[in-house]
Amino acid sequence: MPSVIEVTDLRKSYGGRPVVDGVSFAVEEGEIFGILGPNGAGKTTTVECVEGLRVPDGGRIRVAGLDPVADHAKVAQTLGAQLQQSEIQAKLTVREALELYAAFYPRPADWRPLAERLGLTGKLGTRFGKLSGGQQQRLFIALALIGGPRIVVLDELTTGLDPRARRDTWQLIEDVRASGVTVLLVTHFMEEAQRLCDRIAVIDKGRVAALDTPAGLIHRSAGATVISFTPSAPLDERELAALPALASIEHQNGRLTLSGTDETVDAVLTLLARHRVTAHQLRVVDATLDDAFLDLTKEATA
């Protein structure tokens, strides 16, 4: 697939302190591409440069072949954005907001089916200040899409939402992609990135620590499989430490949690059988993106 966003060696500093320090990635048309990282990692500065809201100190950015700064007016017709901190006048109704934003574009999308798709039809007469957090986020998605963009950037879209509203918003993002829009999603929620993204760039301290699919990032984790149990009798620490491909071991209230690979799991089961120790409440699970993220950012810091 062709790349609709290309970022090469992007650099941005504030007061002499580098916030984005050589970031490079490409977003393919039709995918949900995630930018994941801790607070202060440089995620928002990166996407604001992509949107043309900030001027980079160095590097090259192209959005659908356009320079976001030199060709800002054209990029604004191609890219819709929901900013990290979004707000509109509290007394503006949903209908008024949709009509106002539609007036900014020469060929806007019809906001009526857009409002229907986002569950806002029943709230058209409601003032923005009276909407719930989830309803406000739905409106911001509508405003980002009302220009009929080819690409939409969603920055920390679900921050502050309760679990149900967050999952509803995830479904909306999947629906947006299904309609043919490429999504650049900025988040620090691991579950959100793992659920939604086709590929993820992990940014830490202004640099790309890793770029892969969620499954690929998890597979690269030092402990891709986790086994936990409470042994019926103590196990020798030296034997546990010698287990193959062991990444970590944790003791808590008599329960053991070991991370490693399938080889580690097989070796643990063999060890238990050899010593005739029963594993109570045995659980074997794949590592999550959260586990991979901690490993990757630890490596980037080292």
Side-chain angles (χ1 to χ4, degrees), residues 77 102-110 145-149:
Q77 301 298 320
F104 297 156
Y105 299 93
R107 289 179 297 278
D110 185 345
L145 295 173
I146 205 162

Side-chain angles (χ1 to χ4, degrees), residues 35 65 99 197 222 224 264 295:
I35 295 182
E99 290 177 342
C197 298
T264 311
D295 281 340

Side-chain angles (χ1 to χ4, degrees):
M1 296 291 291
S3 296
V4 292
I5 298 176
E6 297 176 352
V7 177
T8 306
D9 197 29
L10 176 64
R11 298 178 184 276
K12 183 69 178 177
S13 298
Y14 298 114
R17 182 179 67 87
V19 176
V20 179
D21 191 15
V23 165
S24 298
F25 61 86
V27 180
E28 296 176 358
E29 186 155 21
E31 73 174 334
I32 299 177
F33 185 94
I35 295 182
L36 177 65
N39 291 331
K43 307 185 302 297
T44 293
T45 297
T46 297
V47 297
E48 286 179 347
C49 289
V50 170
E51 294 161 341
L53 300 178
R54 295 190 184 274
V55 179
D57 295 334
R60 180 180 185 272
I61 301 175
R62 291 294 180 268
V63 176
L66 302 169
D67 183 320
V69 176
D71 304 310
H72 185 71
K74 292 181 180 179
V75 169
Q77 301 298 320
T78 301
L79 183 148
Q82 173 269 327
L83 305 179
Q84 185 181 46
Q85 293 183 327
S86 300
E87 195 73 30
I88 60 175
Q89 212 279 333
K91 293 185 177 181
L92 208 63
T93 67
V94 171
R95 181 192 299 274
E96 289 168 342
L98 292 168
E99 290 177 342
L100 174 64
Y101 274 66
F104 297 156
Y105 299 93
R107 289 179 297 278
D110 185 345
W111 60 261
R112 293 167 185 80
L114 187 59
E116 177 69 27
R117 195 170 97 204
L118 292 169
L120 293 171
T121 301
K123 296 292 181 179
L124 291 177
T126 304
R127 300 185 189 278
F128 176 79
K130 297 295 184 180
L131 298 175
S132 69
Q135 291 164 349
Q136 289 181 357
Q137 295 296 56
R138 289 169 185 262
L139 176 57
F140 288 134
I141 293 176
L143 298 180
L145 295 173
I146 205 162
R150 182 177 172 188
I151 306 157
V152 65
V153 179
L154 305 175
D155 191 353
E156 303 288 7
L157 181 65
T158 61
T159 297
L161 297 186
D162 62 63
R164 180 177 297 279
R166 180 174 295 128
R167 289 181 180 274
D168 289 345
T169 303
W170 291 350
Q171 184 59 56
L172 291 175
I173 294 170
E174 291 175 330
D175 292 345
V176 168
R177 192 264 290 275
S179 71
V181 178
T182 300
V183 178
L184 178 57
L185 176 69
V186 183
T187 183
H188 63 264
F189 290 118
M190 309 300 160
E191 183 184 3
E192 181 167 286
Q194 187 168 350
R195 155 81 182 264
L196 294 174
C197 298
D198 299 297
R199 292 187 302 135
I200 297 169
V202 178
I203 295 182
D204 187 47
K205 293 180 171 59
R207 299 184 177 184
V208 175
L211 198 164
D212 207 334
T213 64
L217 292 174
I218 292 169
H219 183 72
R220 292 163 59 173
S221 172
T225 305
V226 178
I227 179 170
S228 60
F229 59 93
T230 302
S232 60
L235 293 169
D236 188 286
E237 287 296 326
R238 290 170 297 181
E239 289 188 277
L240 289 172
L243 290 168
L246 181 69
S248 67
I249 181 169
E250 179 183 339
H251 298 263
Q252 187 173 17
N253 299 325
R255 188 168 180 80
L256 287 174
T257 302
L258 303 97
S259 60
T261 66
D262 290 342
E263 185 183 5
T264 311
V265 175
D266 292 340
V268 169
L269 297 177
T270 299
L271 178 64
L272 291 168
R274 185 166 67 246
H275 291 290
R276 297 183 178 180
V277 173
T278 301
H280 297 292
Q281 296 178 317
L282 176 68
R283 294 184 62 198
V284 180
V285 297
D286 291 333
T288 65
L289 189 58
D290 189 76
D291 300 311
F293 176 79
L294 292 174
D295 281 340
L296 290 164
T297 52
K298 177 177 65 179
E299 290 171 7
T301 303

